[in-house]
Amino acid sequence: MSFKYNKIQFIVVGWHYNQPEYYGGLKVLKDTHPDIDVFWSCHNEPPKYIKDNFNYKVFPNLGEEFIAYQQAIEYLNLDDDTICFFIHDDIIIKNWNFIHKCVTVLNNNKNLKFLGNCLNYPLPEFDPTKYEGHDGVGISEEFDNQPISAYALDETKHWFDRNISPVAVIRGSFICCRYKDLKHIHGFEPRKEAWVPLKWDEENQCHSYRGGVGQSRYGNLFMFMFSYKINRVFGTDCIGYLSQRYLDSDFIYEMTRAKIDKDNPML
C-alpha cells in the first residue's frame, strides 16, 4: 500500500489491550510506511509492548472514547490534510485493505466527510434543545435540569439549536476523516466541564455515570451529539460506512466491551 499523497494518523484508545495480533499489524504498518503514524491515547496504563513500540500518552481518564480522541488531537500537531483513523483497541482486523478503501473514498467523494466501519442505526430525530433523559439528573450537578445543548462546546453551541430528522450516526469504535473536516466542527463533544469519569458501581458491578447504570447514558449521548453536529454542518449524506451490517464489515469487526456480540456475530 502506498499513501504518498496522504499523511495517515491512527489514534487508538488504550483501554482493553486484548488484541495482540491487531497491535502487531499496527507496528508493521508504521515501521514500513513512513506516511503512517500510530498514537495511543490511553485511559489505562498500557502494557510493555505498547510502551516499547508506539508513541503514547496516558491521559486522565475523564470519560470514554470521544474524550480520549479529543485529548489526543489537542496533544498532537496534525496537518489539515492528514487522514485520521480514530479507533478502539478491542476491534478485530479482518483485512488491512480498509486503509486503502477509506483513503480512496475520501479522496474521490467530496460529499463524504466521515466514514464508519459498520452501519449504525440512524436516529429518527435528535433535538438538542430538549432535556437528556426524564429525571433531570446531569452528568454532574452543573448539568442538572439542563438541555442537551448545555453539553456542547462554546464554539459549537449555536449548531445545537433545532431538531434534525433523521440523523445518520457514526460509532466511536471506528471513525475515519480528514483532519480539516474534524477541525471545522471543532473536534469532538462534549465541553470539558462534562469530562467526568465513570465511577465503579459496586451494586451493579460495572462502571457507571451519575444517574444511571452502565456507560450507555452519556456514552451514547456524546456519540449522538457528535453525529448530530456532522449532520448539522455537512448535511445528512456526509457519513458513509464500509458495510451495511451492524458491528461487522469485510474489513473489521467491532467488539462491544472487548466481547463478541452474540446477536451480531462476526461473519
Side-chain angles (χ1 to χ4, degrees):
M1 292 182 290
S2 175
F3 309 102
K4 63 182 179 180
Y5 299 112
N6 292 103
K7 171 68 176 177
I8 291 174
Q9 179 70 61
F10 278 82
I11 295 176
V12 187
V13 177
W15 182 256
H16 296 288
Y17 307 115
N18 67 333
Q19 296 295 312
E21 185 176 350
Y22 161 32
Y23 313 150
L26 285 174
K27 181 180 184 304
V28 170
L29 273 178
K30 76 174 186 64
D31 288 348
T32 57
H33 294 81
D35 42 11
I36 295 180
D37 184 62
V38 179
F39 177 77
W40 284 72
S41 183
C42 301
H43 277 184
N44 200 5
E45 189 69 23
K48 186 175 186 299
Y49 184 83
I50 303 301
K51 292 180 177 180
D52 289 348
N53 291 289
F54 297 99
N55 184 18
Y56 77 95
K57 183 172 176 60
V58 181
F59 291 103
N61 182 16
L62 298 176
E64 297 179 74
E65 70 266 61
F66 289 103
I67 289 166
Y69 294 152
Q70 185 64 29
Q71 289 169 321
I73 63 174
E74 291 180 6
Y75 178 77
L76 299 170
N77 183 22
L78 300 177
D79 295 331
D80 281 2
D81 285 331
T82 300
I83 290 182
C84 300
F85 289 89
F86 298 94
I87 196 163
H88 283 190
D89 71 349
D90 62 342
I91 64 171
I92 297 172
I93 304 293
K94 300 159 69 175
N95 185 338
W96 286 96
N97 282 328
F98 75 85
I99 303 172
H100 178 74
K101 176 74 171 179
C102 290
V103 170
T104 300
V105 169
L106 288 180
N107 283 340
N108 294 336
N109 191 324
K110 295 187 182 300
N111 289 331
L112 284 178
K113 304 294 186 183
F114 291 81
L115 288 173
N117 170 57
C118 67
L119 179 70
N120 203 4
Y121 304 115
L123 293 174
E125 63 177 356
F126 187 79
D127 188 348
T129 68
K130 293 183 176 180
Y131 292 86
E132 195 287 316
H134 303 285
D135 54 12
V137 178
I139 198 169
S140 67
E141 290 184 1
E142 176 181 349
F143 294 95
D144 284 352
N145 299 307
Q146 294 296 312
I148 294 169
S149 58
Y151 291 90
L153 305 169
D154 287 342
E155 298 86 348
T156 66
K157 195 177 291 290
H158 63 287
W159 288 328
F160 290 84
D161 62 344
R162 63 174 182 259
N163 184 46
I164 292 180
S165 175
V167 174
V169 177
I170 191 165
R171 285 173 53 80
S173 312
F174 179 97
I175 300 169
C176 177
C177 65
R178 205 178 295 277
Y179 181 61
K180 68 179 180 182
D181 292 323
L182 181 65
K183 189 167 76 170
H184 181 72
I185 58 172
H186 301 283
F188 297 91
E189 301 291 337
R191 64 187 301 112
K192 289 186 177 177
E193 289 83 353
W195 289 17
V196 176
L198 293 96
K199 294 184 178 180
W200 180 251
D201 182 340
E202 190 66 34
E203 179 181 353
N204 294 289
Q205 290 294 295
C206 64
H207 287 90
S208 297
Y209 285 112
R210 180 175 180 256
V213 176
Q215 298 165 261
S216 60
R217 178 170 182 143
Y218 291 102
N220 285 342
L221 177 64
F222 299 148
M223 174 179 68
F224 295 152
M225 289 182 69
F226 180 65
S227 299
Y228 170 94
K229 180 167 66 172
I230 296 170
N231 284 251
R232 175 74 169 80
V233 175
F234 293 115
T236 56
D237 60 349
C238 65
I239 295 176
Y241 307 96
L242 298 179
S243 168
Q244 296 301 299
R245 305 191 299 272
Y246 183 62
L247 299 183
D248 193 31
S249 75
D250 293 341
F251 303 96
I252 292 169
Y253 181 80
E254 301 177 25
M255 296 175 120
T256 56
R257 312 282 188 259
K259 296 178 181 179
I260 297 287
D261 186 331
K262 61 182 177 58
D263 295 323
N264 297 279
M266 180 169 59
L267 300 182

